[in-house]
Amino acid sequence: MTRNEPWILFDIGGVLEIVDDGPWQEELKNRWAARAAMSRAEYDQVIAAADLPRIDLVQGRAEEYWDGLAQALGFTPVQIAEVRAELWDAYCGEANTTLIEYARTLRGRAGVAILSNSADGAREEEERRYGLSSVFDPICYSHEIGANKPDPEAYAAALAAMGAEPADVFFVDDRPQQIDGAARMGIRGIVHRDNATTIAAVEDFLTAAIGS
């Protein structure tokens, strides 16, 4: 794609994946606290004291994270394997097949890319489940670029990966603060609520881009 061609940039959780992008984290913490025979307050204190690595902003430290979590909670290897599986099942949710297939149809009309706040291991898990690389390129994960949305560095990294100017990009995310962060970088977008509205907004953007 050239710098003047349009790009559609997608978030994953709550957009390309159908998931309660937030409540599931609290539900898992409550479940793991109960499994460790701790109150939630005790769990939070133990995890804070464990000083686990920030796997949302770094890669290559996932095993250190999971080993540290197991030690902090007193989990056996079998239990921590169960915890990891629960995390990724909740994290990945279900594929929003309609939106993924719509994105596939955009190739040739626009570049299609991903910018996602993530955890180390997300690329492998989401690729195994949904084959996102067959549709989207580039795929920018926070743990690989070292910045989370809505930090400007996250959008800048995506723009660099796409080779695009902000005005050439339309961003789809389910969180208003992420859309606001993109807007501060000059990137237009929509807060995703349903597929039909998002698709219509993308089509409007592409129509305007082609006509300009």
Side-chain angles (χ1 to χ4, degrees), residues 1 3 12 19 30 45 62 69 86 117 150 154 193 195 199:
M1 306 297 288
R3 292 175 64 87
I12 300 182
V19 58
N30 290 335
Q45 289 177 344
L69 186 70
E86 290 169 358
N117 290 353
R193 292 291 179 260
N195 290 335
I199 290 170

Side-chain angles (χ1 to χ4, degrees), residues 17-20 87-95 129-130:
E17 293 170 348
I18 301 170
V19 58
D20 288 331
L87 179 281
W88 290 119
D89 284 346
Y91 181 104
C92 294
E94 300 177 7
R129 295 166 191 252
Y130 307 131

Side-chain angles (χ1 to χ4, degrees), residues 12 16-18 88-89 91-97 100-101 104 124-136:
I12 300 182
L16 299 176
E17 293 170 348
I18 301 170
W88 290 119
D89 284 346
Y91 181 104
C92 294
E94 300 177 7
N96 185 346
T97 305
I100 292 172
E101 290 307 309
R104 192 186 301 274
E124 294 78 11
E125 285 288 333
E126 289 170 329
E127 183 65 21
R128 178 176 65 83
R129 295 166 191 252
Y130 307 131
L132 297 178
S133 67
S134 70
V135 180
F136 305 93

Side-chain angles (χ1 to χ4, degrees), residues 144-177:
E144 295 174 352
I145 62 178
N148 277 320
K149 300 170 295 182
D151 292 343
E153 293 82 4
Y155 305 100
L159 289 170
M162 291 184 290
E165 298 294 335
D168 300 326
V169 179
F170 190 81
F171 183 45
V172 181
D173 199 292
D174 63 320
R175 297 193 174 190
Q177 64 267 35

